[in-house]
Amino acid sequence: MTTKIEGVLTAIVTTFDENSEFCAKRMKKQVQRQISHGNGIFCNGTNGEFFVLSQKEKIIVTETCVNEVNGQAPIVAHIGEISTEETIKLGKEVAKLGVDAVSVITPFFIPLNQNELIYHYTKIADELDVPVFMYNIPARTGNTILPETAAKLALHPNIIGIKDSAGSYESLSGFLNAVKGIANFNVLNGPDSLIHQGFVDGCSACISGLANVAPKEINAIWDNFHKGDIEASRIAQESVTGLRTDLYKVAFSPAAVKKAITLMGEEVGESRYPIVFSDQDIKTIKAVIDKYIS
């Protein structure tokens, strides 16, 4: 399988109504907002609050996004669950909906060794008929995919890449170096602070949570790089890095991202997990928006 994912995919927030129920109307608007700026969609990820969604909701969210994208942009859905079997079960349902690929986080809570991770991803990739991305985010799961493990799994015909959200350049470059020379394998950058450098070093795409807040500004990093204007891409990255630093001083994603979008006039609802913003927090987020969003 040779699915190529390029550019910016927004790790899109899952929209809720006033009763904290999924709102398809609001979701469709956010999808179109991203597409209008040239971004693809990554749904049910960390910024999509997959950890507080039921499997039924994940399927509905994916279906809503796929139908709204309607072939206009790439769409990847995250399907990772704590067990191999549940991941496969969800993956088979999601594959029916027409996504370009699925993403699978490492199992969480239970510590696994590298052989167990190889077993997990191999079994999933064997069972699904949709291309699979590994998803490395050790700070949230407690499990790390090592570069040499990624290189072994990259040889599987249905594993087409890895999304690295470890948060460091060392991790990202480790994966890029490990899979160098393996054809049709995509390394996707997760941290918004490393988008430009990731493209320079060979990442095919980025998965951006901040694109929910700044779709145009995030896309400018890719657009300028793709056009060959490396300096303009670097300058666009500097602004995004400032936005990330200042916004996440208040609270981390997805809550800070959702609150910022809401303050920008977009109806996306509140995060489902416990988070409280003070009046000073709101004031600070408004100032960040005024400073960085044109």
Side-chain angles (χ1 to χ4, degrees):
M1 245 174 239
T2 58
T3 299
K4 185 75 171 175
I5 302 293
E6 289 187 312
V8 175
L9 273 72
T10 299
I12 198 162
V13 298
T14 298
T15 55
F16 301 130
D17 62 19
E18 289 72 17
N19 297 314
S20 197
E21 297 294 330
F22 173 64
C23 181
K25 181 179 179 180
R26 291 179 175 183
M27 193 86 217
K28 291 175 183 178
K29 183 181 177 186
Q30 291 307 309
V31 169
Q32 285 300 332
R33 178 168 165 257
Q34 293 300 326
I35 290 175
S36 71
H37 289 288
N39 301 331
I41 301 297
F42 179 87
C43 64
N44 293 328
T46 302
N47 278 273
E49 299 180 70
F50 79 90
F51 46 88
V52 291
L53 300 179
S54 67
Q55 282 213 1
K56 182 178 179 181
E57 286 176 319
K58 291 170 187 175
I59 293 167
I60 294 171
V61 168
T62 305
E63 184 175 31
T64 301
C65 290
V66 169
N67 290 342
E68 195 63 24
V69 168
N70 194 27
Q72 300 173 80
I75 177 165
V76 177
H78 174 249
I79 61 166
E81 300 288 340
I82 199 166
S83 76
T84 309
E85 291 73 19
E86 286 299 303
T87 301
I88 292 169
K89 180 181 176 182
L90 178 59
K92 287 182 176 180
E93 292 300 316
V94 165
K96 298 174 186 176
L97 303 176
V99 296
D100 294 304
V102 294
S103 168
V104 180
I105 201 170
T106 60
F108 36 96
F109 189 74
I110 303 298
L112 301 176
N113 62 40
Q114 296 303 298
N115 285 335
E116 288 163 339
L117 289 173
I118 289 172
Y119 168 82
H120 177 69
Y121 282 106
T122 299
K123 188 167 177 58
I124 291 166
D126 284 346
E127 291 283 342
L128 300 184
D129 59 4
V130 63
V132 174
F133 281 100
M134 296 173 280
Y135 181 175
N136 186 53
I137 184 167
R140 302 294 181 96
T141 68
N143 286 307
T144 302
I145 302 170
L146 295 178
E148 53 265 35
T149 298
K152 289 177 183 177
L153 287 164
L155 301 177
H156 192 292
N158 200 34
I159 296 178
I160 64 166
I162 185 166
K163 174 186 182 241
D164 181 40
S165 293
S168 72
Y169 178 66
E170 180 184 14
S171 177
L172 186 65
S173 60
F175 287 118
L176 285 164
N177 290 331
V179 301
K180 195 172 290 183
I182 299 177
N184 303 314
F185 189 83
N186 309 266
V187 176
L188 312 184
N189 171 64
D192 287 299
S193 58
L194 294 173
I195 297 173
H196 168 74
Q197 193 60 51
F199 286 138
V200 169
D201 290 351
C203 288
S204 63
C206 70
I207 309 294
S208 171
L210 275 183
N212 287 285
V213 180
K216 180 177 71 173
E217 289 80 1
I218 295 290
N219 189 270
I221 302 172
W222 161 251
D223 185 53
N224 284 303
F225 176 81
H226 192 56
K227 291 188 297 190
D229 193 339
I230 308 303
E231 180 62 12
S233 175
R234 185 191 64 78
I235 292 170
Q237 175 70 72
E238 287 183 355
S239 178
V240 166
T241 300
L243 168 63
R244 180 183 186 273
T245 300
D246 290 353
L247 182 61
Y248 290 163
K249 283 179 182 177
V250 182
F252 205 62
S253 63
V257 166
K258 265 194 163 179
K259 182 58 69 177
I261 303 169
T262 300
L263 293 172
M264 292 168 64
E266 299 291 332
E267 294 182 323
V268 296
E270 299 291 334
S271 292
R272 277 183 176 173
Y273 63 97
I275 183 75
V276 178
F277 291 96
S278 67
D279 291 342
Q280 181 57 50
D281 291 336
I282 300 300
K283 184 178 179 181
T284 301
I285 293 174
K286 286 180 178 178
V288 171
I289 293 168
D290 290 342
K291 180 178 181 180
Y292 293 103
I293 308 300
S294 59

